[in-house]
Amino acid sequence: MSSIEGKVIAITGASSGIGEATAKLLAARGAKVVVGARRTDRLKSLVDGIVAEGGAAKARAVDVANRQDVRSFIDFARAEFGRVDVIVNNAGVMPLSPMAELKVDEWDRMIDVNIRGVLNGVAAVLPEMKARGSGQIVNVASIGAHVVVPTGAVYCATKYAVWAISEGLRQENPDLRVTIISPGVVATELGDDISDANAKEFLTGLRKAAFTPDAIARAIAYAVEQPDDVDVNEIIVRPTTSQF
Ligand code: NDP
């Protein structure tokens, strides 16, 4: 029997892309999933679809940049299913641009969602997991946590930060499992909000070698299904034809 079965798994950024695919796969494998994002209409259809297939799922609006909101999201998961075994800190934004364009509000948004969002998720689950002496924190970083590309300085910086936070968390907490998921280019809505024309064109070029989000969902499922004494520290998954 898969060790995904029966686990309560909270997933942020589940209204599209990787988060949505992960929620569907984990629920199909027997997890009780609690999905969060800002677009609640999308979350509702996701939950309806999972429940129609016989799975267990609940949704709640969450803005990961808001610490109290994330705490309430995790409290909601506990109220619905009794505990949180795994959190997948997946929500992210990627408004790429050259630094000289000084899109400082977009820099702030990436820092707030990609870094603070992950920290807020960690803070919301750590006390319960430490008290129990078990739990898994899965942080979605990126290939951008390993390489930097023009227009990606701030985005990659946020993903380097996710990598560092996850590694430090792992070293300090031998009772917990901490997993970094670093995807290559995935065909999702990420970057739809890019406001710089050159960056948009750059991403369109990258997307020529992209795979679908279920590839990342399978990587997350692999990390979650391992026995308690196995912590998959990081998985880097690229499309086979990708250079980056
Ligand atoms: P999507 O744009 O499809 O999904 C992003 C998700 O994040 C959405 O569900 C969105 O929901 C949510 N989100 C954004 N801002 C917030 C917020 N403030 N609070 C809560 N949720 C928020 O992109 P992906 O599925 O591709 O991205 C998922 C993760 O994967 C991100 O961390 C991204 O950086 C990472 N990644 C993606 C790659 C790719 O090529 N696609 C490559 C490497 C990493 P809503 O707008 O409804 O709030």
mmCIF file of all heavy atoms in Angstrom, residues 13-19 37-39 62-64 90-93 113 140-142 155 159 183-186 188-190 207, ligand 1:
data_model
loop_
_atom_site.group_PDB
_atom_site.id
_atom_site.type_symbol
_atom_site.label_atom_id
_atom_site.label_comp_id
_atom_site.label_asym_id
_atom_site.label_seq_id
_atom_site.Cartn_x
_atom_site.Cartn_y
_atom_site.Cartn_z
ATOM 1 N N GLY A 13 -1.109 27.227 -3.886
ATOM 2 C CA GLY A 13 -1.009 27.454 -5.330
ATOM 3 C C GLY A 13 -1.614 26.316 -6.122
ATOM 4 O O GLY A 13 -1.087 25.891 -7.148
ATOM 5 N N ALA A 14 -2.761 25.835 -5.646
ATOM 6 C CA ALA A 14 -3.372 24.645 -6.267
ATOM 7 C C ALA A 14 -4.466 25.011 -7.274
ATOM 8 O O ALA A 14 -5.147 24.126 -7.783
ATOM 9 C CB ALA A 14 -3.939 23.728 -5.182
ATOM 10 N N SER A 15 -4.620 26.304 -7.586
ATOM 11 C CA SER A 15 -5.685 26.674 -8.521
ATOM 12 C C SER A 15 -5.278 26.491 -9.979
ATOM 13 O O SER A 15 -6.109 26.637 -10.868
ATOM 14 C CB SER A 15 -6.114 28.135 -8.278
ATOM 15 O OG SER A 15 -5.003 28.993 -8.428
ATOM 16 N N SER A 16 -4.010 26.166 -10.227
ATOM 17 C CA SER A 16 -3.578 25.900 -11.602
ATOM 18 C C SER A 16 -2.244 25.145 -11.588
ATOM 19 O O SER A 16 -1.663 24.927 -10.530
ATOM 20 C CB SER A 16 -3.441 27.209 -12.396
ATOM 21 O OG SER A 16 -2.477 28.050 -11.805
ATOM 22 N N GLY A 17 -1.808 24.761 -12.771
ATOM 23 C CA GLY A 17 -0.461 24.239 -12.976
ATOM 24 C C GLY A 17 -0.047 23.074 -12.088
ATOM 25 O O GLY A 17 -0.787 22.105 -11.900
ATOM 26 N N ILE A 18 1.149 23.215 -11.523
ATOM 27 C CA ILE A 18 1.771 22.130 -10.748
ATOM 28 C C ILE A 18 0.949 21.794 -9.500
ATOM 29 O O ILE A 18 0.751 20.618 -9.172
ATOM 30 C CB ILE A 18 3.214 22.531 -10.354
ATOM 31 C CG1 ILE A 18 4.097 22.619 -11.614
ATOM 32 C CG2 ILE A 18 3.799 21.562 -9.330
ATOM 33 C CD1 ILE A 18 5.459 23.275 -11.394
ATOM 34 N N GLY A 19 0.455 22.815 -8.813
ATOM 35 C CA GLY A 19 -0.318 22.570 -7.593
ATOM 36 C C GLY A 19 -1.593 21.801 -7.873
ATOM 37 O O GLY A 19 -1.948 20.860 -7.140
ATOM 38 N N ALA A 37 -5.350 28.802 -2.636
ATOM 39 C CA ALA A 37 -4.881 29.796 -3.615
ATOM 40 C C ALA A 37 -5.836 30.969 -3.470
ATOM 41 O O ALA A 37 -6.702 30.955 -2.581
ATOM 42 C CB ALA A 37 -4.895 29.246 -5.037
ATOM 43 N N ARG A 38 -5.707 31.980 -4.348
ATOM 44 C CA ARG A 38 -6.635 33.114 -4.266
ATOM 45 C C ARG A 38 -7.877 32.909 -5.127
ATOM 46 O O ARG A 38 -8.947 33.346 -4.789
ATOM 47 C CB ARG A 38 -5.903 34.398 -4.647
ATOM 48 C CG ARG A 38 -4.834 34.786 -3.614
ATOM 49 C CD ARG A 38 -3.864 35.772 -4.195
ATOM 50 N NE ARG A 38 -3.320 35.258 -5.457
ATOM 51 C CZ ARG A 38 -2.633 35.979 -6.329
ATOM 52 N NH1 ARG A 38 -2.402 37.231 -6.093
ATOM 53 N NH2 ARG A 38 -2.173 35.421 -7.440
ATOM 54 N N ARG A 39 -7.744 32.206 -6.264
ATOM 55 C CA ARG A 39 -8.899 32.033 -7.172
ATOM 56 C C ARG A 39 -9.762 30.866 -6.682
ATOM 57 O O ARG A 39 -9.552 29.703 -7.038
ATOM 58 C CB ARG A 39 -8.406 31.808 -8.599
ATOM 59 C CG ARG A 39 -7.789 33.054 -9.227
ATOM 60 C CD ARG A 39 -7.106 32.747 -10.516
ATOM 61 N NE ARG A 39 -5.975 31.854 -10.340
ATOM 62 C CZ ARG A 39 -5.248 31.365 -11.338
ATOM 63 N NH1 ARG A 39 -5.527 31.664 -12.583
ATOM 64 N NH2 ARG A 39 -4.222 30.575 -11.086
ATOM 65 N N VAL A 62 -6.430 31.377 0.202
ATOM 66 C CA VAL A 62 -5.255 31.780 0.969
ATOM 67 C C VAL A 62 -4.372 32.680 0.114
ATOM 68 O O VAL A 62 -4.176 32.424 -1.073
ATOM 69 C CB VAL A 62 -4.456 30.549 1.485
ATOM 70 C CG1 VAL A 62 -3.867 29.720 0.352
ATOM 71 C CG2 VAL A 62 -3.345 30.973 2.425
ATOM 72 N N ASP A 63 -3.873 33.738 0.739
ATOM 73 C CA ASP A 63 -2.822 34.544 0.128
ATOM 74 C C ASP A 63 -1.561 34.211 0.909
ATOM 75 O O ASP A 63 -1.427 34.582 2.085
ATOM 76 C CB ASP A 63 -3.162 36.032 0.241
ATOM 77 C CG ASP A 63 -2.069 36.911 -0.360
ATOM 78 O OD1 ASP A 63 -0.968 36.403 -0.647
ATOM 79 O OD2 ASP A 63 -2.320 38.113 -0.545
ATOM 80 N N VAL A 64 -0.623 33.505 0.265
ATOM 81 C CA VAL A 64 0.535 32.996 1.019
ATOM 82 C C VAL A 64 1.440 34.109 1.534
ATOM 83 O O VAL A 64 2.249 33.884 2.430
ATOM 84 C CB VAL A 64 1.363 31.969 0.206
ATOM 85 C CG1 VAL A 64 0.547 30.728 -0.115
ATOM 86 C CG2 VAL A 64 1.964 32.603 -1.041
ATOM 87 N N ASN A 90 3.922 25.478 -2.748
ATOM 88 C CA ASN A 90 4.074 25.503 -4.207
ATOM 89 C C ASN A 90 3.768 26.867 -4.829
ATOM 90 O O ASN A 90 4.263 27.172 -5.901
ATOM 91 C CB ASN A 90 3.149 24.420 -4.791
ATOM 92 C CG ASN A 90 2.929 24.601 -6.276
ATOM 93 O OD1 ASN A 90 3.837 24.341 -7.081
ATOM 94 N ND2 ASN A 90 1.752 25.063 -6.661
ATOM 95 N N ALA A 91 2.941 27.682 -4.166
ATOM 96 C CA ALA A 91 2.518 28.956 -4.780
ATOM 97 C C ALA A 91 3.739 29.771 -5.191
ATOM 98 O O ALA A 91 4.720 29.860 -4.451
ATOM 99 C CB ALA A 91 1.670 29.759 -3.796
ATOM 100 N N GLY A 92 3.669 30.362 -6.382
ATOM 101 C CA GLY A 92 4.792 31.177 -6.843
ATOM 102 C C GLY A 92 4.397 32.079 -7.981
ATOM 103 O O GLY A 92 3.384 31.855 -8.647
ATOM 104 N N VAL A 93 5.181 33.137 -8.181
ATOM 105 C CA VAL A 93 4.962 34.046 -9.310
ATOM 106 C C VAL A 93 6.309 34.329 -9.982
ATOM 107 O O VAL A 93 7.362 34.228 -9.350
ATOM 108 C CB VAL A 93 4.316 35.383 -8.856
ATOM 109 C CG1 VAL A 93 2.880 35.167 -8.401
ATOM 110 C CG2 VAL A 93 5.127 36.055 -7.755
ATOM 111 N N VAL A 113 5.709 36.465 -2.304
ATOM 112 C CA VAL A 113 5.031 35.186 -2.572
ATOM 113 C C VAL A 113 6.036 34.020 -2.511
ATOM 114 O O VAL A 113 5.807 33.020 -1.812
ATOM 115 C CB VAL A 113 4.329 35.207 -3.958
ATOM 116 C CG1 VAL A 113 3.705 33.847 -4.258
ATOM 117 C CG2 VAL A 113 3.268 36.310 -3.993
ATOM 118 N N VAL A 140 8.542 23.877 -3.366
ATOM 119 C CA VAL A 140 8.779 23.898 -4.811
ATOM 120 C C VAL A 140 9.714 25.066 -5.121
ATOM 121 O O VAL A 140 9.342 26.232 -4.981
ATOM 122 C CB VAL A 140 7.461 24.003 -5.599
ATOM 123 C CG1 VAL A 140 7.751 24.075 -7.097
ATOM 124 C CG2 VAL A 140 6.563 22.799 -5.283
ATOM 125 N N ALA A 141 10.954 24.730 -5.477
ATOM 126 C CA ALA A 141 11.937 25.752 -5.886
ATOM 127 C C ALA A 141 11.893 25.821 -7.406
ATOM 128 O O ALA A 141 10.830 26.033 -7.991
ATOM 129 C CB ALA A 141 13.317 25.394 -5.361
ATOM 130 N N SER A 142 13.013 25.577 -8.058
ATOM 131 C CA SER A 142 13.063 25.692 -9.522
ATOM 132 C C SER A 142 14.457 25.323 -9.981
ATOM 133 O O SER A 142 15.410 25.351 -9.189
ATOM 134 C CB SER A 142 12.773 27.138 -9.938
ATOM 135 O OG SER A 142 13.028 27.329 -11.306
ATOM 136 N N TYR A 155 13.800 36.540 -9.656
ATOM 137 C CA TYR A 155 13.083 35.256 -9.547
ATOM 138 C C TYR A 155 14.055 34.166 -9.079
ATOM 139 O O TYR A 155 13.745 33.421 -8.135
ATOM 140 C CB TYR A 155 12.464 34.872 -10.898
ATOM 141 C CG TYR A 155 11.790 33.512 -10.881
ATOM 142 C CD1 TYR A 155 10.557 33.336 -10.261
ATOM 143 C CD2 TYR A 155 12.395 32.393 -11.461
ATOM 144 C CE1 TYR A 155 9.951 32.096 -10.227
ATOM 145 C CE2 TYR A 155 11.793 31.148 -11.431
ATOM 146 C CZ TYR A 155 10.567 31.002 -10.814
ATOM 147 O OH TYR A 155 9.970 29.762 -10.770
ATOM 148 N N LYS A 159 14.312 31.718 -5.610
ATOM 149 C CA LYS A 159 14.378 30.246 -5.621
ATOM 150 C C LYS A 159 15.663 29.734 -4.963
ATOM 151 O O LYS A 159 15.654 28.691 -4.316
ATOM 152 C CB LYS A 159 14.214 29.730 -7.054
ATOM 153 C CG LYS A 159 12.826 30.024 -7.649
ATOM 154 C CD LYS A 159 11.689 29.454 -6.766
ATOM 155 C CE LYS A 159 10.315 29.577 -7.410
ATOM 156 N NZ LYS A 159 9.256 28.953 -6.613
ATOM 157 N N PRO A 183 11.746 22.055 -10.595
ATOM 158 C CA PRO A 183 11.345 21.745 -11.964
ATOM 159 C C PRO A 183 12.099 22.579 -12.992
ATOM 160 O O PRO A 183 12.450 23.727 -12.736
ATOM 161 C CB PRO A 183 9.852 22.150 -11.999
ATOM 162 C CG PRO A 183 9.454 22.439 -10.581
ATOM 163 C CD PRO A 183 10.713 22.806 -9.864
ATOM 164 N N GLY A 184 12.307 21.974 -14.153
ATOM 165 C CA GLY A 184 12.699 22.741 -15.330
ATOM 166 C C GLY A 184 11.447 23.427 -15.870
ATOM 167 O O GLY A 184 10.514 23.697 -15.118
ATOM 168 N N VAL A 185 11.425 23.668 -17.176
ATOM 169 C CA VAL A 185 10.316 24.466 -17.730
ATOM 170 C C VAL A 185 9.051 23.618 -17.892
ATOM 171 O O VAL A 185 9.064 22.577 -18.550
ATOM 172 C CB VAL A 185 10.714 25.086 -19.079
ATOM 173 C CG1 VAL A 185 9.605 25.998 -19.588
ATOM 174 C CG2 VAL A 185 12.011 25.870 -18.941
ATOM 175 N N VAL A 186 8.000 24.087 -17.258
ATOM 176 C CA VAL A 186 6.713 23.387 -17.272
ATOM 177 C C VAL A 186 5.685 24.280 -17.964
ATOM 178 O O VAL A 186 5.674 25.500 -17.745
ATOM 179 C CB VAL A 186 6.237 23.100 -15.825
ATOM 180 C CG1 VAL A 186 5.031 22.158 -15.842
ATOM 181 C CG2 VAL A 186 7.361 22.515 -14.989
ATOM 182 N N THR A 188 2.677 25.930 -17.898
ATOM 183 C CA THR A 188 1.631 26.354 -16.950
ATOM 184 C C THR A 188 1.325 27.831 -17.201
ATOM 185 O O THR A 188 1.834 28.419 -18.154
ATOM 186 C CB THR A 188 2.098 26.199 -15.486
ATOM 187 O OG1 THR A 188 3.155 27.144 -15.247
ATOM 188 C CG2 THR A 188 2.580 24.792 -15.173
ATOM 189 N N GLU A 189 0.565 28.413 -16.279
ATOM 190 C CA GLU A 189 0.244 29.845 -16.406
ATOM 191 C C GLU A 189 1.359 30.734 -15.854
ATOM 192 O O GLU A 189 1.263 31.963 -15.916
ATOM 193 C CB GLU A 189 -1.060 30.147 -15.660
ATOM 194 C CG GLU A 189 -2.250 29.454 -16.282
ATOM 195 C CD GLU A 189 -3.505 29.559 -15.423
ATOM 196 O OE1 GLU A 189 -3.622 30.493 -14.608
ATOM 197 O OE2 GLU A 189 -4.381 28.684 -15.569
ATOM 198 N N LEU A 190 2.406 30.123 -15.297
ATOM 199 C CA LEU A 190 3.486 30.917 -14.696
ATOM 200 C C LEU A 190 4.079 31.871 -15.738
ATOM 201 O O LEU A 190 4.405 31.446 -16.841
ATOM 202 C CB LEU A 190 4.581 29.989 -14.161
ATOM 203 C CG LEU A 190 5.582 30.655 -13.221
ATOM 204 C CD1 LEU A 190 4.969 30.865 -11.843
ATOM 205 C CD2 LEU A 190 6.856 29.836 -13.099
ATOM 206 N N ARG A 207 9.743 27.886 -23.432
ATOM 207 C CA ARG A 207 8.584 26.981 -23.367
ATOM 208 C C ARG A 207 8.524 26.013 -24.542
ATOM 209 O O ARG A 207 7.730 25.067 -24.522
ATOM 210 C CB ARG A 207 7.281 27.803 -23.324
ATOM 211 C CG ARG A 207 7.022 28.440 -21.973
ATOM 212 C CD ARG A 207 5.972 27.679 -21.161
ATOM 213 N NE ARG A 207 6.045 27.990 -19.750
ATOM 214 C CZ ARG A 207 5.452 29.037 -19.168
ATOM 215 N NH1 ARG A 207 4.717 29.866 -19.886
ATOM 216 N NH2 ARG A 207 5.588 29.242 -17.880
HETATM 217 P P1 NDP B 1 0.886 28.660 -12.142
HETATM 218 O O1 NDP B 1 0.909 30.116 -12.453
HETATM 219 O O2 NDP B 1 0.064 27.776 -12.998
HETATM 220 O O3 NDP B 1 0.496 28.422 -10.628
HETATM 221 C C1 NDP B 1 0.899 29.297 -9.612
HETATM 222 C C2 NDP B 1 -0.031 29.102 -8.430
HETATM 223 O O4 NDP B 1 0.386 29.979 -7.379
HETATM 224 C C3 NDP B 1 -1.468 29.447 -8.771
HETATM 225 O O5 NDP B 1 -2.293 28.461 -8.219
HETATM 226 C C4 NDP B 1 -1.689 30.780 -8.075
HETATM 227 O O6 NDP B 1 -3.040 30.861 -7.632
HETATM 228 C C5 NDP B 1 -0.766 30.633 -6.881
HETATM 229 N N1 NDP B 1 -0.425 31.912 -6.281
HETATM 230 C C6 NDP B 1 0.198 32.967 -6.822
HETATM 231 N N2 NDP B 1 0.282 33.967 -5.932
HETATM 232 C C7 NDP B 1 -0.310 33.525 -4.802
HETATM 233 C C8 NDP B 1 -0.552 34.091 -3.527
HETATM 234 N N3 NDP B 1 -0.152 35.334 -3.217
HETATM 235 N N4 NDP B 1 -1.191 33.336 -2.604
HETATM 236 C C9 NDP B 1 -1.598 32.094 -2.894
HETATM 237 N N5 NDP B 1 -1.407 31.489 -4.073
HETATM 238 C C10 NDP B 1 -0.767 32.218 -5.014
HETATM 239 O O7 NDP B 1 2.418 28.216 -12.188
HETATM 240 P P2 NDP B 1 3.161 26.828 -11.835
HETATM 241 O O8 NDP B 1 2.225 25.758 -11.543
HETATM 242 O O9 NDP B 1 4.167 26.649 -12.893
HETATM 243 O O10 NDP B 1 3.966 27.264 -10.524
HETATM 244 C C11 NDP B 1 3.976 26.515 -9.328
HETATM 245 C C12 NDP B 1 5.358 26.622 -8.700
HETATM 246 O O11 NDP B 1 6.294 25.979 -9.561
HETATM 247 C C13 NDP B 1 5.867 28.052 -8.501
HETATM 248 O O12 NDP B 1 6.491 28.152 -7.242
HETATM 249 C C14 NDP B 1 6.877 28.213 -9.610
HETATM 250 O O13 NDP B 1 7.851 29.179 -9.294
HETATM 251 C C15 NDP B 1 7.430 26.803 -9.692
HETATM 252 N N6 NDP B 1 8.117 26.478 -10.930
HETATM 253 C C16 NDP B 1 7.450 26.508 -12.124
HETATM 254 C C17 NDP B 1 8.122 26.256 -13.303
HETATM 255 C C18 NDP B 1 7.459 26.367 -14.631
HETATM 256 O O14 NDP B 1 8.178 26.331 -15.663
HETATM 257 N N7 NDP B 1 6.160 26.477 -14.737
HETATM 258 C C19 NDP B 1 9.546 25.883 -13.303
HETATM 259 C C20 NDP B 1 10.126 25.859 -11.994
HETATM 260 C C21 NDP B 1 9.438 26.138 -10.862
HETATM 261 P P3 NDP B 1 -3.927 32.183 -7.494
HETATM 262 O O15 NDP B 1 -3.486 33.120 -8.577
HETATM 263 O O16 NDP B 1 -5.311 31.637 -7.683
HETATM 264 O O17 NDP B 1 -3.674 32.678 -6.110
#
